[in-house]
Amino acid sequence: MARRKVEDIIRLVDSHYDSTEPLRQRMEDDHSLYRMEEYDAGEGYQSYTSNEPRTYADKVMGWISSAEMTVRISNEGADEEIREKNDQKERFLIGILRAADERLCSMMLPEIREQLAWYSVLRGWYAGRAVLAKREDGTTYVDITPWDPLHTYWGTGEDGLEWACYKVPKTSDQILSQYGIKVDWQSNIDGVMVYDFYDKEMNTIIIHNGSRDRPQLRVVKKQIKHGAGKVPVFIGPVGSNPYIVALNQTGMQDTIADVGESVFSSTRDLYDKHNLMMSTMLELTARSRRQGLKVRSRDGTKTLDDDPYLEGSEISLAVGEDVEPLGMLEVARETGAFMGLVAGEMQRGSLPHTVYGEVAFQLSGFAINSLRQGVETVVGKYLRSVEKAYRMIFNIIGDQYATGAYQAMELSGMDRNRVYFSQEITSDII
């Protein structure tokens, strides 16, 4: 494969951004829900922001992070020697995960499963890099680094991934510490864009600053062979929604946002309505504490200097002046029923309240089992997506290690029989 020009790499990434912008905007909007960005009911009005999106997403992430994972290679029909080798293969896979997690923890990053749970639940996609790398002394270490799908770009062909790139802004200090290159560009105060680009043979890192018309480009890592034999990147969407091509270009761009949905796919439009109604109730509650006042005076200019709602307050009035409350406002009679309908749709699109320990009345065993099935429907596709990510990681790392281009690694961990191991596993076994 011929080496790619730097300009062609930037053009590939920019083109993919243009075609997937609705998807990335949806990811940003979902993250805003998770961060509980304050709902704005209007200037001067009480605003209520529900914690429902965050608690819902955290519950699903918690289930994924705490789920038991079993690494198993089938031994059906295998003799004793093959079984022993398969056991060592299982230990190899368990060991590389532990080594990769320890590396991430030393960098003050969450473990692989926790990051995959976060991205799959909130982004609706998973992505990352899975490579074996060599230290200066020639020893091998495992680099499994999940990527934020929001900043991941890719291209596919008949045999899968053709290229992938992780594009994120970094400061000049970060670039200096990571790549040993001093960048004195000052035009971008938010940082300089760093492109970590992989194709089937090469890896290169490029920094980019400026507009598309007048780019400033610099290669901080020349194109070198990564030795994986394929693009060493795992990417995939959550769920079963395929790409749906509409009859026109605009429609095709719109449908890309439906691929790889987050947990908010059924409820994201309901949260604003819920916040609006709760803000209205909060406003009326606040007004019940401090009702509006009607102040009468001869020339209509009288105002109250002190707060009349404070205990023991006094109001001095002249002849012809008067102060009286405006009276309480009430919501429409249909408000309660409407709030119940919205709450029901939110619950059907997320998790039943019983998973949080809220049981308004006694439930039968049949009802509890029905609710449990509803939970499995919500959680199942995210568990399967993390499982797919692990399978892709195992295939990528296993293929690299099997080439024999890396020194044998000593790995440790707890195998599926709950037996601790620490052993050197050679590439010929894999």
Side-chain angles (χ1 to χ4, degrees):
M1 181 180 293
R3 293 178 180 268
R4 299 176 186 267
K5 295 181 179 180
V6 174
E7 294 78 7
D8 292 339
I9 293 175
I10 303 299
R11 193 178 302 111
L12 274 175
V13 174
D14 289 344
S15 176
H16 190 258
Y17 172 82
D18 292 338
S19 62
T20 57
E21 186 175 2
L23 172 65
R24 300 176 195 280
Q25 185 58 54
R26 191 212 74 199
M27 292 180 181
E28 288 273 63
D29 294 341
D30 287 346
H31 191 212
S32 297
L33 287 174
Y34 179 75
R35 294 182 63 207
M36 296 174 56
E37 293 189 0
E38 186 177 358
Y39 176 78
D40 184 8
E43 186 177 357
Y45 293 94
Q46 298 283 340
S47 297
Y48 177 91
T49 304
S50 174
N51 68 347
E52 172 76 15
R54 179 131 195 169
T55 55
Y56 169 33
D58 283 343
K59 178 65 74 173
V60 179
M61 289 182 218
W63 279 327
I64 296 174
S65 298
S66 61
E68 182 179 354
M69 183 176 72
T70 302
V71 179
R72 177 175 298 166
I73 296 176
S74 175
N75 285 317
E76 185 176 354
D79 57 27
E80 185 175 351
E81 181 180 356
I82 297 300
R83 289 174 181 270
E84 176 62 27
K85 288 186 177 181
N86 285 345
D87 288 343
Q88 294 192 54
K89 291 176 186 178
E90 291 176 358
R91 292 182 174 185
F92 170 77
L93 299 177
I94 294 169
I96 63 171
L97 287 184
R98 178 172 180 176
D101 282 337
E102 288 176 350
R103 178 176 174 272
L104 290 174
C105 290
S106 68
M107 299 167 64
M108 292 184 289
L109 294 172
E111 295 181 352
I112 297 171
R113 190 196 298 202
E114 293 176 345
Q115 293 194 55
L116 290 177
W118 197 96
Y119 289 130
S120 61
V121 167
L122 289 182
R123 301 300 199 200
W125 287 73
Y126 55 85
R129 173 183 66 230
V131 295
L132 292 176
K134 295 181 180 180
R135 301 183 181 91
E136 293 183 359
D137 60 1
T139 57
T140 304
Y141 69 93
V142 185
D143 178 5
I144 302 174
T145 304
W147 288 349
D148 186 349
L150 178 66
H151 303 294
T152 304
Y153 304 84
W154 66 90
T156 57
E158 294 181 354
D159 297 324
L161 274 182
E162 292 289 332
W163 62 270
C165 182
Y166 191 50
K167 169 189 168 186
V168 288
K170 294 185 179 181
T171 65
S172 300
D173 291 339
Q174 288 175 320
I175 294 174
L176 178 62
S177 63
Q178 293 180 18
Y179 310 116
I181 292 180
K182 185 176 182 180
V183 178
D184 55 2
W185 296 338
Q186 301 296 330
S187 59
N188 191 345
I189 61 175
D190 295 326
V192 178
M193 283 297 174
V194 178
Y195 292 65
D196 190 2
F197 181 88
Y198 291 85
D199 59 21
K200 291 183 177 180
E201 292 185 4
M202 303 291 182
N203 168 231
T204 185
I205 298 177
I206 305 164
I207 56 176
H208 172 279
N209 194 30
S211 64
R212 293 190 183 185
D213 299 330
R214 301 180 61 185
Q216 294 175 283
L217 302 174
R218 186 172 177 181
V219 177
V220 298
K221 179 181 179 182
K222 295 181 179 180
Q223 295 189 39
I224 60 172
K225 291 188 176 182
H226 49 66
K230 63 177 73 172
V231 183
V233 172
F234 57 94
I235 300 175
V238 175
S240 57
N241 193 339
Y243 288 96
I244 301 298
V245 180
L247 294 177
N248 53 70
Q249 183 69 18
T250 303
M252 185 174 69
Q253 285 185 324
D254 290 342
T255 56
I256 187 64
D258 300 330
V259 180
E261 270 286 9
S262 72
V263 290
F264 302 138
S265 59
S266 301
T267 55
R268 63 170 61 94
D269 293 333
L270 296 174
Y271 292 131
D272 273 350
K273 297 178 177 61
H274 178 67
N275 286 334
L276 172 61
M277 291 184 294
M278 294 298 291
S279 296
T280 302
M281 300 293 288
L282 181 62
E283 176 70 22
L284 294 179
T285 302
R287 291 188 182 188
S288 67
R289 181 186 178 191
R290 297 171 59 88
Q291 298 181 39
L293 297 174
K294 180 165 51 177
V295 181
R296 292 193 183 94
S297 62
R298 294 181 181 276
D299 56 3
T301 60
K302 180 178 179 58
T303 58
L304 301 181
D305 297 329
D306 299 323
D307 185 354
Y309 291 103
L310 294 178
E311 182 180 358
S313 61
E314 297 180 354
I315 303 175
S316 300
L317 298 175
V319 177
E321 294 179 344
D322 189 20
V323 176
E324 67 176 285
L326 287 174
M328 295 290 295
L329 293 176
E330 296 182 359
V331 297
R333 289 180 298 174
E334 296 80 6
T335 302
F338 182 63
M339 291 182 69
L341 292 173
V342 172
E345 290 193 354
M346 288 172 57
Q347 186 172 190
R348 287 190 293 274
S350 55
L351 295 171
H353 293 166
T354 53
V355 303
Y356 304 103
E358 300 177 20
V359 182
F361 45 84
Q362 187 173 359
L363 296 174
S364 65
F366 176 79
I368 293 175
N369 287 333
S370 299
L371 291 172
R372 185 180 295 116
Q373 292 174 359
V375 170
E376 292 172 354
T377 302
V378 173
V379 180
K381 59 183 177 180
Y382 299 101
L383 281 170
R384 289 191 295 272
S385 70
V386 175
E387 181 183 341
K388 291 177 186 176
Y390 274 119
R391 188 180 296 115
M392 295 170 74
I393 291 170
F394 291 158
N395 287 332
I396 294 171
I397 296 293
D399 289 346
Q400 291 177 61
Y401 196 57
T403 61
Y406 302 90
Q407 286 189 11
M409 290 189 292
E410 184 169 341
L411 301 169
S412 62
M414 192 76 68
D415 64 18
R416 63 186 177 94
N417 296 319
R418 299 188 180 277
V419 176
Y420 178 81
F421 67 90
S422 179
Q423 66 183 91
E424 183 179 273
I425 301 176
T426 57
S427 60
D428 59 318
I429 293 176
I430 306 303

